[in-house]
Structures are given as C-alpha cells and as structure tokens.
C-alpha cells in the first residue's frame, strides 16, 4: 500500500480519488516505496521509502493480543502487548461499543485523522489499529500510554510553557493542517513525565475543513476557556453548551481568582493568551483555516458489507413481506447468521501486575 500526499485542492476530503492518482505511475514504483507526494496537477514530485510511512497506514494488532490492565474511562482501556521484537508496550486502547451512526462516523474519522497526523511533540502518538480476530474488522485503535495524568488534576502546578505549547499546537493544527480539534479542555491535556511537555489527545470531535465544523467549538475559544478553568478551578463556563458560550463571558471578568499553583503571575498568562487571541481572531482567520496549505484528507466511511443482506422489515396490508438493507440490530444480525463481535466482559477486571 502506498500513501498519497498532496494538498486539499487535489485531494478534497469528501472525495476518494487516491486510486486514480496512483494508477498513473503505480507500475513504475519500486516495491520499497511507501509514500508519494504529488502536486496540484497530480504529477509526482517526491517519493519516500521510509517504513514509518507504511506503518502509519498498516500497523495493526489483533484484539486477542491485547492484555487488559485497567479501565481508564468509558471506551478507553489501559492495555499491553508484545511487539514484533518481543518488547512489552503499554498503550491506551480506545473503542466504541455503541453502534450509533454518528459514533461510528466519529470513530472512523478519528482513526484516519490520527494515523495521518505528522509526528508532533505535543500530540499523543497514534500506535495501531485494533482488529477483531474472526473477520479482521476494525474495532478500535491504540495510542501511546502517557502516565503523567491530565491537567484536570488541580494538584498539578500550571506552567506557563505549557500554554505556549498549546497555542503553538493549535496554530499548527488549524492553520497548517486545516484541523479543528473542537474539544480542547483540561481533561484532554496530558503532561508527559518523561519530557515535561503538554500532549493533546481525544480527536473524536475534530473537524477537517468544513467537514464536521461546529459553531462555538473553535480551538481558540476552547484554549482560552481552558486557561481560565486551569487558573481558577471554575468549571462553570466550560459546562455551558458550546452554542451558548463565547470568550467574552470570561474576558470581561476583571480579576481571575487564582486557585492553583502557577509558575508565573496570572497577568503573565492572561496577557500572553489575550495577545494570541487578538492575532487569531483577526479578519481572515477562518479563510486561513479553510485554505490550510497541508490539509489532511482521508476516504469516507465505507458501508459495511453486512448491510447488503436484506432483512425482514414487516408486511404490507396484502401480507407481502417487506425487506430492507442497511443498519440492523445485533439480535437481527445473529438471527441471520451474520458474525457479531461481542463486547461483553467481566464487570470488574482482574488487576494485572506486569513482569519485566
């Protein structure tokens, strides 16, 4: 498999034309090629044989190889596995057992976004796609496990450098990649104890260009409200529905009561973030976001092949059976003999002590 890299002009997010582009020169590429870069006319401008390019697309692991260590939250486990070299890896396993149409789309987009992101010191690294063992269906993904905890822990002293890292990361995501995280909050900001750097995670609400973009969830507002919450421990404003809140609610407060240990004065934090907000909220910011030079792209969510099997929906007044295709319940799928992955497991996991 070869990764195609180009701009959103050639590779619009809502269209899947990578195969057509690749077919022009696929027969001339060495088997060692892992990625190609094309210009806006679809012409080849560069190739890469870096195995990491391939890994970003194809690294997978079977669900049976994951060992559950703990449950970090709804749909997130702390797990471990041994990699191809026999080295024990500790990861966060994220999955979505709720078969709602919107949740499935969000899971598809998050996996594709994370595996497409370039490595960044302030983003929790993507690890592998998790497949169930019978039909190799995608059921989730893993990321590097960072044990430092999130900034939601009010006992963690807030460092000014972390806010600089956050604003720089937001600028990179928004203005370089055309990605809007849309869920920036203290609970999604980890501190890596090995590097003392801030790391952002949880991209399931992210927008790519106009796709899934929502009012009131922009990253500038999210970062500003997060800073207020981090300094004051006041969660009132972040609990307000995003369509009803704005930065003015917080910017207009003359004094922010400091209820957390800081490495700089409150005024230092506020002055810095106010200057950043003024820059980002200037005219043309949305246009810069929508026309980001390295906007990411990925294919649309495919229709599961199971949905093509007709299921009985009811009967007409004349007694004729009415059938339909598409989404069906787990019970119906089982009755039709279709394979269903079972999420059921013990309510309280066994506490595992890792050796070595």
């Amino acid at each position: 498999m070869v990764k195609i890299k180009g701009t959103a002009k050639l590779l619009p997010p809502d269209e899947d034309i990578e195969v057509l582009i690749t077919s022009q020169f696929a027969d001339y590429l060495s088997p060692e090629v892992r990625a190609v870069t094309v210009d806006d006319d679809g012409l080849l401008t560069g190739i890469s044989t870096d195995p990491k390019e391939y890994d970003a697309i194809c690294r997978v692991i079977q669900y049976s190889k994951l060992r559950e260590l703990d449950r970090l939250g709804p749909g997130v486990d702390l797990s471990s596995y041994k990699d191809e070299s026999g080295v024990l890896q500790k990861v966060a396993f994220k999955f979505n057992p709720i078969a709602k149409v919107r949740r499935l789309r969000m899971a598809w987009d998050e996996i594709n976004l994370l595996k497409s992101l370039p490595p960044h010191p302030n983003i929790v690294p993507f690890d592998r796609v998790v497949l169930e063992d019978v039909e190799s269906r995608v059921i989730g993904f893993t990321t590097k496990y960072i044990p430092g905890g999130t900034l939601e822990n009010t006992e963690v002293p807030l460092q000014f450098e972390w806010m600089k890292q956050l604003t720089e990361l937001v600028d990179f995501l928004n203005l370089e990649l055309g990605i809007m995280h849309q869920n920036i909050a203290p609970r999604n900001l980890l501190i890596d104890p090995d590097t003392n750097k801030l790391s952002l995670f949880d991209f399931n609400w992210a927008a790519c260009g106009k796709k899934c973009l929502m009012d009131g969830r922009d990253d500038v507002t999210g970062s500003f409200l997060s800073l207020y919450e981090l300094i004051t421990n006041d969660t009132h404003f972040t609990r307000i529905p995003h369509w009803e809140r704005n930065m003015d609610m917080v910017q207009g407060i003359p004094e922010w009561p400091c209820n957390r240990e800081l490495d700089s004065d409150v005024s230092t934090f506020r002055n810095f973030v106010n200057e950043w907000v003024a820059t980002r909220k200037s005219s043309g910011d949305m246009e810069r976001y929508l026309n980001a030079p390295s906007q990411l792209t990925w294919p649309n969510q495919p229709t599961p092949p199971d949905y093509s099997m007709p299921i009985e929906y009811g009967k007409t007044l004349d007694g004729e059976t009415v059938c339909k295709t598409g989404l069906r319940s787990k019970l119906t799928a089982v009755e039709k003999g279709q394979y269903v992955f079972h999420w059921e497991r013990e309510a309280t996991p066994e506490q595992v002590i890792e050796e070595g």
Side-chain angles (χ1 to χ4, degrees), residues 19-170:
V19 174
L20 292 176
I21 296 172
T22 309
S23 63
Q24 302 177 64
F25 41 75
D27 292 338
Y28 305 97
L29 295 176
S30 163
E32 302 299 318
V33 172
R34 297 293 181 255
V36 298
T37 302
V38 294
D39 62 18
D40 288 346
D41 295 319
L43 300 178
L44 187 67
T45 60
I47 63 173
S48 172
T49 58
D50 186 350
K52 292 182 179 179
E53 298 277 13
Y54 184 83
D55 288 347
I57 300 176
C58 299
R59 292 185 68 189
V60 300
I61 187 170
Q62 298 294 326
Y63 176 67
S64 61
K65 294 182 179 179
L66 292 178
R67 188 179 186 188
E68 180 186 335
L69 304 179
D70 197 3
R71 297 179 185 177
L72 304 177
V76 184
D77 286 355
L78 173 60
S79 302
S80 68
Y81 67 86
K82 288 187 177 180
D83 64 18
E84 292 79 1
S85 300
V87 178
L88 189 68
Q89 302 291 339
K90 191 175 286 188
V91 294
F93 168 41
K94 186 171 184 178
F95 53 93
N96 177 40
I98 304 174
K100 300 295 184 181
V101 174
R102 183 177 185 179
R103 286 290 175 180
L104 291 174
R105 190 267 302 161
M106 290 170 66
W108 169 264
D109 286 345
E110 185 173 20
I111 289 176
N112 279 276
L113 188 158
L114 288 176
K115 76 176 183 59
S116 302
L117 284 173
H120 193 283
N122 301 116
I123 297 176
V124 176
F126 180 77
D127 182 57
R128 300 187 181 222
V129 172
V130 180
L131 308 177
E132 53 81 24
D133 292 78
V134 177
E135 295 186 348
S136 294
R137 302 289 185 94
V138 176
I139 59 172
F141 64 91
T142 58
T143 62
K144 176 185 176 182
Y145 173 63
I146 297 178
T150 72
L151 287 180
E152 195 171 33
N153 179 5
T154 58
E155 299 300 315
V156 177
L158 184 63
Q159 297 182 19
F160 178 68
E161 180 63 27
W162 295 340
M163 287 311 301
K164 291 176 62 179
Q165 291 172 9
L166 177 60
T167 55
E168 290 170 2
L169 173 60
V170 167

Side-chain angles (χ1 to χ4, degrees), residues 331-350:
L331 179 61
T332 299
V334 171
E335 290 175 346
K336 289 293 183 181
Q338 294 182 301
Y339 171 70
V340 173
F341 177 77
H342 294 278
W343 286 103
E344 294 84 357
R345 54 186 181 174
E346 295 181 7
T348 303
E350 202 174 306

Side-chain angles (χ1 to χ4, degrees), residues 242-258:
H242 63 87
W243 57 86
E244 294 180 1
R245 71 185 189 191
N246 58 67
M247 281 190 297
D248 294 340
M249 297 176 175
V250 173
Q251 279 184 313
I253 299 176
E255 298 291 334
W256 288 6
C258 183

Side-chain angles (χ1 to χ4, degrees), residues 213-224:
L213 190 63
M214 292 180 282
D215 291 335
R217 296 196 76 146
D218 67 274
D219 293 344
V220 176
T221 297
S223 299
F224 190 88

Side-chain angles (χ1 to χ4, degrees), residues 218-289:
D218 67 274
D219 293 344
V220 176
T221 297
S223 299
F224 190 88
L225 294 179
S226 292
L227 176 61
Y228 174 81
E229 179 181 335
L230 289 168
I231 291 176
T232 66
N233 292 334
D234 179 3
T235 62
H236 167 72
F237 293 103
T238 50
R239 291 201 304 266
I240 297 174
H242 63 87
W243 57 86
E244 294 180 1
R245 71 185 189 191
N246 58 67
M247 281 190 297
D248 294 340
M249 297 176 175
V250 173
Q251 279 184 313
I253 299 176
E255 298 291 334
W256 288 6
C258 183
N259 294 310
R260 189 187 195 116
E261 183 180 345
L262 311 175
D263 72 347
S264 301
D265 294 337
V266 173
S267 61
T268 301
F269 282 91
R270 289 194 69 173
N271 290 338
F272 171 77
V273 78
N274 281 335
E275 290 178 5
W276 175 67
V277 168
T279 301
R280 285 297 309 271
K281 288 297 184 179
S282 60
S283 61
D285 189 69
M286 179 54 66
E287 287 72 18
R288 287 195 295 161
Y289 162 72

